[in-house]
Amino acid sequence: GESVGLHLPTLSVQEGDNSIINCAYSNSASDYFIWYKQESGKGPQFIIDIRSNMDKRQGQRVTVLLNKTVKHLSLQIAATQPGDSAVYFCAETPGGYNKLIFGAGTRLAVHP
Amino acid sequence: DVKVTQSSRYLVKRTGEKVFLECVQDMDHENMFWYRQDPGLGLRLIYFSYDVKMKEKGDIPEGYSVSREKKERFSLILESASTNQTSMYLCASSLPPVMNTEAFFGQGTRLTVV
């Protein structure tokens, strides 16, 4: 399969534990944020998004937290499963622009 | 099911060749993007287009050009391929920013320039 990040920071967790992946974003004008999951050999897939007027949003087994004061975003995955193993990217949208700016990514490794 | 399709999964080209990477989306999205992905660097934006025949430079446009003659198709062109353009190339599409919706990605094209 494809190797999407040979030198990425890696978070190793046990199956069933909760995972927290962190991201520092760069632009204080960013008003929309997305977490993507990229499995080996595939393009990134949407997980969850959050607007800058919120500080928390929950999905199915995932929660995104936004701290605009310190420009920090986190993704929490509950009861992590082997299928969650992937590289996770946060992305921000500078206000008024079309484009997404991506972070470098974090590899999540789930061990049985 | 929504789809962004990149024409090739793997390509091997020689230095100096002109290379075309094609991307088609079937979601009637206004925005289309080309990124390159390199180990440890995440996804870096090369070019994006917010309408037919419209384009904007991203963060690393040097050595690349793009073409958007039809809404569904966005082409990335390497005018004269070089070895430092060996990378994974990802195409994406999305609705306009006022919708604040996700970008959908293709599977990627792994380009090797020898």
Side-chain angles (χ1 to χ4, degrees):
Chain A
E2 299 288 349
S3 176
V4 299
L6 294 176
H7 309 294
L8 293 175
T10 298
L11 175 66
S12 294
V13 300
Q14 291 293 123
E15 182 178 356
D17 286 353
N18 297 332
S19 302
I20 300 176
I21 301 171
N22 295 304
C23 175
Y25 64 92
S26 57
N27 193 326
S28 57
S30 291
D31 56 4
Y32 179 60
F33 304 88
I34 307 178
W35 279 100
Y36 282 90
K37 172 186 180 183
Q38 187 176 25
E39 296 173 281
S40 183
K42 298 182 179 180
Q45 293 180 290
F46 173 90
I47 303 173
I48 191 168
D49 59 359
I50 188 167
R51 297 170 190 258
S52 58
N53 61 353
M54 304 169 68
D55 53 21
K56 181 178 179 179
R57 189 160 189 229
Q58 287 186 286
Q60 189 177 13
R61 277 201 312 119
V62 294
T63 301
V64 55
L65 299 177
L66 175 63
N67 185 331
K68 294 182 288 294
T69 302
V70 294
K71 293 191 286 186
H72 184 267
L73 201 62
S74 68
L75 177 70
Q76 300 178 0
I77 305 173
T80 313
Q81 302 168 0
D84 295 326
S85 294
V87 177
Y88 290 81
F89 295 96
C90 65
E92 59 181 302
T93 302
Y97 291 92
N98 289 281
K99 64 181 184 179
L100 284 170
I101 300 171
F102 283 80
T106 297
R107 181 181 303 282
L108 176 65
V110 183
H111 303 287
Chain B
D1 201 14
V2 296
K3 212 161 185 183
V4 178
T5 304
Q6 295 182 228
S7 54
S8 301
R9 197 71 197 276
Y10 299 95
L11 276 178
V12 179
K13 296 292 182 181
R14 295 191 182 278
T15 301
E17 275 193 80
K18 190 168 186 176
V19 181
F20 293 85
L21 303 183
E22 306 288 347
C23 176
V24 176
Q25 52 98 359
D26 63 2
M27 295 166 281
D28 202 36
H29 284 169
E30 281 79 2
N31 296 338
M32 295 189 75
F33 309 85
W34 275 106
Y35 289 88
R36 65 176 281 177
Q37 183 174 24
D38 300 289
L41 296 177
L43 281 73
R44 294 181 291 166
L45 182 65
I46 304 171
Y47 268 96
F48 67 100
S49 168
Y50 50 90
D51 203 349
V52 175
K53 296 190 185 294
M54 307 301 287
K55 60 185 180 184
E56 290 283 342
K57 292 181 180 179
D59 300 317
I60 50 165
E62 295 79 18
Y64 303 95
S65 62
V66 289
S67 172
R68 184 116 181 251
E69 295 297 318
K70 294 184 178 181
K71 190 175 186 181
E72 67 270 19
R73 187 179 296 270
F74 192 35
S75 303
L76 180 69
I77 303 154
L78 287 66
E79 297 290 342
S80 177
S82 63
T83 54
N84 63 10
Q85 292 178 309
T86 292
S87 187
M88 169 70 85
Y89 290 87
L90 289 161
C91 174
S93 72
S94 73
L95 289 166
V98 66
M99 308 294 286
N100 270 351
T101 56
E102 64 190 280
F104 293 87
F105 282 84
Q107 293 274 68
T109 296
R110 169 72 65 182
L111 173 67
T112 302
V113 183
V114 297

